[in-house]
Amino acid sequence: MVVTAETIRKTTNDPLVIAGRAYSSRLLVGTGKYKDLEETRRAVEASGAQIITIAVRRTNIGQNPNEPSLTEVLPPSKYTYLPNTAGCYSAEDAIRTCRLARELLDGHDLVKLEVLGSEKTLYPDIPQTLAAAETLIQDGFKVMVYTNDDPIVARKFAEMGCVAVMPLAAPIGSGLGIRNPYNIRFIVEEATVPILVDAGVGTASDAAIAMELGCDGVLMNTAIAGAQNPVLMAQAMKKAIEAGREAFLAGRMPRKQYGSPSSPLGGTFF
């Protein structure tokens, strides 16, 4: 394959742009489930992530001055915080949580919206999520929204003004990988905003597949925090995201039903 100057340019200067801000890393990571804040810090640093999610209901970012704060080990001056509404099962709870995050973080308006509909599957409640997204957007928030892998629903979220759409690959925390690559590809093909796989990634190959499908990034937490060696897994995920993106930009070879020799048959010496 001929490597063009345009391909080289894309792979060396290919930022993820969300809400008008460019990021060199396409890996977004969560900050929960680690054994302590030191392990959290080491894993996040190893991942190379620049955007980190904060479960406002479960993470101390100033609510309790008597306990260690995440801001001490992962300062908001270095990372873009992405407060999320994890654990919310209604639009009202999600809206309230986002407003609390904005107050705690001095007007911060970039948020991850998720409104769950089932404690067993942790699948999103789409009507409640749509309602919350509409209110938050009107309230000046920049909403990155967790949703299912329905291309029609994904398009609705983009059209209403969400700055990124984040379809699940599999249930949250399951580690099952990309269960429906066809729907993810459909979502990517129609995308007018960044598409990031959110939930279900279990290992580095899952992350690479998401990127090879054309996703703009991947958000994960359990896949790193739940590994036997979270810091090493964070490094693996960083490499997988980069490799998957480069493979997508390079354009894979066509699939063929039968074998095809690597060397040309014509012009042989004997």
Side-chain angles (χ1 to χ4, degrees), residues 5-6 26 28 74 113 166 184 203 219 224 235 249 252:
E6 177 66 10
R26 292 175 176 271
L28 291 68
L74 297 172
L113 172 64
M166 302 190 291
I184 298 296
T203 191
L219 191 156
I224 295 175
Q235 294 176 6
L249 293 175
R252 64 156 291 144

Side-chain angles (χ1 to χ4, degrees), residues 3-269:
V3 178
T4 66
E6 177 66 10
T7 299
I8 294 173
R9 186 192 67 78
K10 285 182 177 179
T11 55
T12 56
N13 182 24
D14 182 42
L16 168 64
V17 180
I18 295 179
R21 183 171 177 180
Y23 299 91
S24 58
S25 173
R26 292 175 176 271
L27 174 59
L28 291 68
V29 297
T31 54
K33 300 186 177 181
Y34 294 96
K35 67 180 183 181
D36 54 34
L37 286 178
E38 176 59 19
E39 184 177 75
T40 305
R41 181 193 65 78
R42 293 174 59 225
V44 170
E45 289 184 353
S47 75
Q50 296 166 298
I51 302 176
I52 58 175
T53 63
I54 312 296
V56 180
R57 289 183 160 197
R58 303 167 183 165
T59 306
N60 183 27
I61 53 173
Q63 306 96 310
N64 188 344
N66 299 317
E67 293 185 0
S69 172
L70 186 74
T71 59
E72 297 170 4
V73 295
L74 297 172
S77 59
K78 182 177 179 180
Y79 298 94
T80 294
Y81 276 19
L82 183 61
N84 70 45
T85 59
C88 291
Y89 286 83
S90 71
E92 291 77 13
D93 282 349
I95 293 166
R96 188 183 308 112
T97 300
C98 288
R99 288 172 175 167
L100 172 62
R102 182 162 62 183
E103 182 177 340
L104 289 170
L105 296 172
D106 299 322
H108 184 85
D109 57 7
L110 182 67
V111 294
K112 175 194 169 184
L113 172 64
E114 62 178 67
V115 184
L116 304 179
S118 166
E119 292 186 9
K120 181 178 181 180
T121 65
L122 300 181
Y123 267 52
D125 183 323
I126 297 303
Q128 289 290 303
T129 306
L130 284 164
E134 182 177 13
T135 297
L136 289 170
I137 291 168
Q138 291 174 352
D139 201 17
F141 284 94
K142 299 170 183 175
V143 178
M144 299 175 66
V145 61
Y146 164 69
T147 183
N148 58 25
D149 59 3
D150 183 334
I152 307 304
V153 171
R155 185 175 65 201
K156 286 183 181 296
F157 281 121
E159 289 174 346
M160 72 190 303
C162 293
V163 299
V165 175
M166 302 190 291
L168 55 81
I172 293 173
S174 68
L176 291 173
I178 314 295
R179 306 318 301 163
N180 195 338
Y182 304 103
N183 275 22
I184 298 296
R185 190 183 295 277
F186 292 151
I187 291 171
V188 168
E189 287 177 355
E190 290 195 356
T192 56
V193 298
I195 304 297
L196 297 89
V197 156
D198 178 13
V201 168
T203 191
S205 57
D206 299 331
I209 289 171
M211 298 306 296
E212 289 173 8
L213 288 170
C215 291
D216 296 283
V218 178
L219 191 156
M220 66 182 73
N221 187 178
T222 310
I224 295 175
Q228 294 181 36
N229 186 331
V231 176
L232 187 58
M233 182 60 80
Q235 294 176 6
M237 291 299 187
K238 178 178 185 285
K239 296 171 184 175
I241 293 291
E242 293 171 350
R245 180 64 178 176
E246 290 181 0
F248 170 72
L249 293 175
R252 64 156 291 144
M253 62 168 284
R255 290 181 171 87
K256 300 177 182 178
Q257 185 173 357
Y258 301 104
S260 176
S262 298
S263 301
L265 297 177
T268 57
F269 291 106

